[in-house]
Amino acid sequence: MRFDQHTVVLLVRPPDPPELPLDAVDRLQDAHLAHQAGLVEQGAVLAAGPCLGADDERLHGFAVLSVDPEMARELYANDPAVRAGRLVAQVLSWMVPEGNVRFEKVPVPRSMLEAASGD
């Protein structure tokens, strides 16, 4: 059997994230979403989104990438939320039977306002 191998990034809240004012958190989230959208536009990120209802509350987001793990580490080292210490990127490889998972190009939000608009 053949397998497709993807790189997965888990975005995790560290145990001691820096305290920031609410407006700074909002700006940082918008910067994170813009960074993520840029990675989608470049073709590096195939799918990404927040995690809801996880058993581990620290798990914040999940992304599947088309690049190798080392490149994924570099890309997420530049994520504003990672640079600010609000998130940590955990990188791993994920294998699925060949053709089992397909990704479509769809628009992704570049800000919280855009995400909330539902368009």
Side-chain angles (χ1 to χ4, degrees):
M1 179 177 280
R2 292 179 177 221
F3 289 86
D4 290 329
Q5 185 171 334
H6 301 286
T7 300
V8 170
V9 172
L10 301 174
L11 292 172
V12 179
R13 290 240 185 261
D16 55 350
E19 293 293 324
L20 298 173
L22 187 55
D23 63 325
V25 171
D26 289 345
R27 285 192 308 273
L28 192 57
Q29 182 64 15
D30 281 349
H32 162 71
L33 289 175
H35 178 263
Q36 189 93 314
L39 296 179
V40 170
E41 290 166 1
Q42 293 171 23
V45 169
L46 301 171
C51 295
L52 306 173
D55 289 338
D56 185 340
E57 293 176 357
R58 296 173 304 151
L59 189 53
H60 181 72
F62 179 91
V64 180
L65 289 84
S66 64
V67 299
D68 64 65
E70 190 55 40
M71 176 59 71
R73 285 182 186 89
E74 289 179 32
L75 294 173
Y76 276 87
N78 290 316
D79 183 304
V82 172
R83 283 195 330 253
R86 299 281 294 175
L87 294 174
V88 173
Q90 296 180 351
V91 179
L92 59 134
S93 292
W94 178 48
M95 293 177 56
V96 294
E98 185 177 56
N100 185 244
V101 178
R102 298 172 205 262
F103 300 94
E104 300 290 329
K105 286 202 177 270
V106 298
V108 295
R110 297 188 73 80
S111 69
M112 290 303 293
L113 181 62
E114 195 173 313
S117 74
D119 292 334

